[in-house]
Amino acid sequence: MSEATGTARVKRGMAEMLKGGVIMDVVNVEQAKIAEDAGACAVMALERVPADIRAQGGVARMSDPDMIQKIQAAVSIPVMAKVRIGHFVEAQIIESLGVDYIDESEVLTPADYTNHIEKWNFKVPFVCGATNLGEALRRINEGAAMIRSKGEAGTGDVSNAMTHMRTIGGEIRRLTSMREDELYVAAKELQAPYALVKEVAETGKLPVVLFTAGGIATPADAALMMQMGADGVFIGSGIFKSGNPAHRAAACVKATTFYQDAKVLADVSRGLGEAMVGINVADIPVPHRLADRGW
Amino acid sequence: MRVGVLALQGDFREHIAAAQACGHDAIEVRTEAELNSIDALILPGGESTTIIHLAQTFNLFQPIKDRIRDGIAVYGSCAGMILLADRIIDGAKNQKTFGGLDITVRRNAFGRQVDSFESDIDFNGATLKAVFIRAPWVEENGKGVEVLSTAAGHPVAVRQGKILATSFHPELTADLAVHRYFFDEICKSG
């Protein structure tokens, strides 16, 4: 029996198993258990949620391996962790811990303002953020096995996530309507490899799973993103910065499954307590917007 | 034949596509009414704790258990195998299953995602490419359980009466052998 690990199929396949689920940011064991009990399909282990990174400023780096391993020991669901854009040594360290997915994330301070990590070199799969189709395809070309739209993390404002999902969806729809001989120029304009552009034009979807992230704070936000075509949802600050995290976490899980059923959505939206306070993206000066990181 | 795929979380769309490619009607199952309208049930890959949590919350747990006990043909891949097992090792705290399959399943038995793999295995007289993702295996099985495939010395495809379970994900490949076996050998058996 010949076994192959770390293939594109097992990396992308892992993301397929997360579909229809909610991946929650957690900063300690207690939160990880709340997330698992609420029905999260995975947790993202990190030291500070984006809202705190934003508030406290400074350089944001990968989390302490001790903290990540405590969370791995506490839950049976997949555990993800973030590394800085381009910081391939952080990625080597996180991979050695046996983390199930690495998020090369704009929420942390970038380590390289030109290049992203060469992700084909790793056995562990990577998820990367994207604001548009070209960015998504560049990440896939580098080996990302899953894409998430970026949104504006740590705000509780869903408007940027909406923009990015509309952009990615719109650009895919445009490709599917083009003549084959127009795809070369489309690839040039998207700054993406022709082979991937052609594949998207033929299939009408990305070659990997597409989640949404950034600014999702309510069950209605999660359902909105699912109706916009997301395969699943990341919720960062939205849960554990709210009044009743356990209740809100479970409500977001239900809303992500029953995203087309307004009665269920109404039921799960009742009595959730206070949502995270939130920041309007428009009030954040452009240089401080996380979604603009990535190239 | 009308096939239902439990669509609470996971890769249910891939199973629906496989059922359709085999020439069957296939629907997503999220309600008891949908459950009662089908002739065969598939439990997809995904996160078993999430799926069971949602089944309990939305009053599908007992109805699915009952339909399995009453003899509906059912196939579970990966998380689906865990959901069909009578006993779990390394489950989450108090993790329940629908049960019906007389096996003890070990969750994440092959390791974490970095250990996920693809491999050629024998299934029902043919070789197929099997994709294992944080996969479980069968730790021990009752006498009435037939072992159809093994990997690393453990059963990874088993059948008991009208219940079929695989540790791996045929829905992620273009090979329809496992789905055809389910529809043609199990669903049509008396």
Side-chain angles (χ1 to χ4, degrees):
Chain A
M1 191 173 78
S2 66
E3 288 183 7
T5 55
T7 62
R9 186 144 59 184
V10 299
K11 288 174 170 178
R12 293 177 181 188
M14 171 74 208
E16 302 283 348
M17 299 310 139
L18 300 170
K19 285 191 302 195
V22 180
I23 300 167
M24 301 182 193
D25 278 6
V26 298
V27 300
N28 57 41
V29 165
E30 187 197 0
Q31 290 185 356
K33 285 182 173 167
I34 290 172
E36 183 176 45
D37 289 346
C41 66
V43 291
M44 177 76 68
L46 74 176
E47 271 164 0
R48 294 183 288 170
V49 295
D52 289 333
I53 291 173
R54 191 179 283 291
Q56 293 164 8
V59 174
R61 309 179 177 90
M62 76 166 189
S63 298
D64 186 326
D66 264 350
M67 176 268 175
I68 294 169
Q69 286 189 309
K70 279 182 195 155
I71 288 174
Q72 287 177 302
V75 296
S76 64
I77 57 178
V79 176
M80 302 183 167
K82 289 185 192 290
V83 302
R84 286 181 264 177
I85 290 173
H87 205 313
F88 49 85
V89 172
E90 283 190 352
Q92 291 162 8
I93 292 168
I94 297 290
E95 180 180 49
S96 79
L97 303 178
V99 159
D100 295 299
Y101 238 94
I102 292 181
D103 184 2
E104 185 182 19
S105 177
E106 71 283 0
V107 168
L108 305 182
T109 307
D112 188 329
Y113 283 88
T114 309
N115 304 287
H116 282 247
I117 295 171
E118 154 70 289
K119 292 168 274 286
W120 296 112
N121 287 344
F122 290 81
K123 271 193 181 170
V124 64
F126 282 75
V127 55
C128 289
T131 58
N132 57 53
L133 180 60
E135 195 177 358
L137 295 180
R138 287 194 293 279
R139 296 295 87 78
I140 293 166
N141 195 43
E142 295 155 3
M146 177 178 183
I147 296 292
R148 53 173 175 75
S149 67
K150 279 181 177 172
E152 186 59 32
T155 61
D157 181 346
V158 79
S159 63
N160 270 27
M162 189 66 167
T163 305
H164 302 154
M165 284 303 289
R166 282 204 187 275
T167 303
I168 294 169
E171 288 172 333
I172 290 174
R173 288 188 293 277
R174 179 166 170 269
L175 284 187
T176 61
S177 69
M178 293 176 112
R179 283 168 52 102
E180 216 170 295
D181 62 3
E182 293 166 344
L183 294 175
Y184 300 98
V185 172
K188 185 192 81 177
E189 288 169 356
L190 288 166
Q191 299 179 53
Y194 169 74
L196 286 174
V197 169
K198 186 159 185 284
E199 186 179 346
V200 171
E202 283 166 3
T203 62
K205 62 187 198 61
L206 289 182
V208 303
V209 164
L210 172 65
F211 268 49
T212 292
I216 291 138
T218 69
D221 290 348
L224 178 69
M225 290 300 115
M226 293 299 286
Q227 289 198 20
M228 286 302 298
D231 289 317
V233 180
F234 283 85
I235 305 185
S237 320
I239 288 173
F240 290 99
K241 284 288 169 191
S242 73
N244 186 342
H247 197 171
R248 184 170 294 268
C252 290
V253 169
K254 293 172 199 166
T256 301
T257 295
F258 288 89
Y259 65 92
Q260 290 169 309
D261 187 331
K263 279 188 181 155
V264 171
L265 297 176
D267 275 346
V268 303
S269 299
R270 291 173 210 276
L272 287 181
E274 233 162 282
M276 69 180 286
V277 175
I279 310 168
N280 294 320
V281 174
D283 296 340
I284 301 172
V286 170
H288 297 287
R289 292 188 189 172
L290 304 177
D292 296 342
R293 294 170 170 176
W295 18 92
Chain B
M1 188 169 62
R2 190 168 156 98
V3 179
V5 183
L6 187 63
L8 296 175
Q9 190 270 325
D11 69 339
F12 49 86
R13 268 182 253 137
E14 284 66 23
H15 276 292
I16 285 182
Q20 288 169 340
C22 291
H24 301 288
D25 289 335
I27 64 161
E28 297 177 2
V29 172
R30 291 190 190 83
T31 65
E32 193 171 351
E34 287 161 349
L35 177 69
N36 290 333
S37 76
I38 57 173
D39 308 306
L41 175 64
I42 295 178
L43 307 178
E47 185 45 52
S48 62
T49 56
T50 302
I51 295 172
I52 211 74
H53 173 87
L54 286 163
Q56 288 175 305
T57 310
F58 288 97
N59 305 318
L60 276 173
F61 182 74
Q62 197 59 42
I64 290 175
K65 214 174 156 71
D66 291 346
R67 281 222 68 180
I68 295 171
R69 191 199 54 216
D70 294 345
I72 190 175
V74 55
Y75 166 44
S77 68
C78 197
M81 172 188 265
I82 296 168
L83 296 172
L84 288 169
D86 282 340
R87 298 167 297 278
I88 312 183
I89 298 173
D90 290 344
K93 189 183 62 177
N94 302 325
Q95 185 174 347
K96 288 193 175 164
T97 66
F98 301 124
L101 182 57
D102 183 14
I103 60 168
T104 301
V105 73
R106 182 179 289 278
R107 236 174 121 220
N108 304 335
F110 290 95
R112 295 185 172 277
Q113 172 58 19
V114 286
D115 306 307
S116 292
F117 64 98
E118 46 186 299
S119 169
D120 292 331
I121 64 165
D122 294 327
F123 178 89
N124 195 31
T127 300
L128 57 83
K129 177 73 81 184
V131 183
F132 294 82
I133 295 174
R134 282 172 51 97
W137 68 40
V138 176
E139 189 80 13
E140 61 88 26
N141 54 278
K143 282 194 190 110
V145 176
E146 182 187 355
V147 175
L148 302 171
S149 307
T150 58
H154 292 272
V156 292
V158 292
R159 173 187 180 175
Q160 179 184 4
K162 304 206 76 154
I163 304 178
L164 174 69
T166 62
S167 302
F168 53 89
H169 294 280
E171 74 277 14
L172 290 184
T173 68
D175 190 335
L176 294 170
V178 175
H179 287 88
R180 285 198 199 287
Y181 176 82
F182 175 61
F183 297 129
D184 299 344
E185 307 284 327
I186 295 188
C187 295
K188 288 179 186 160
S189 68

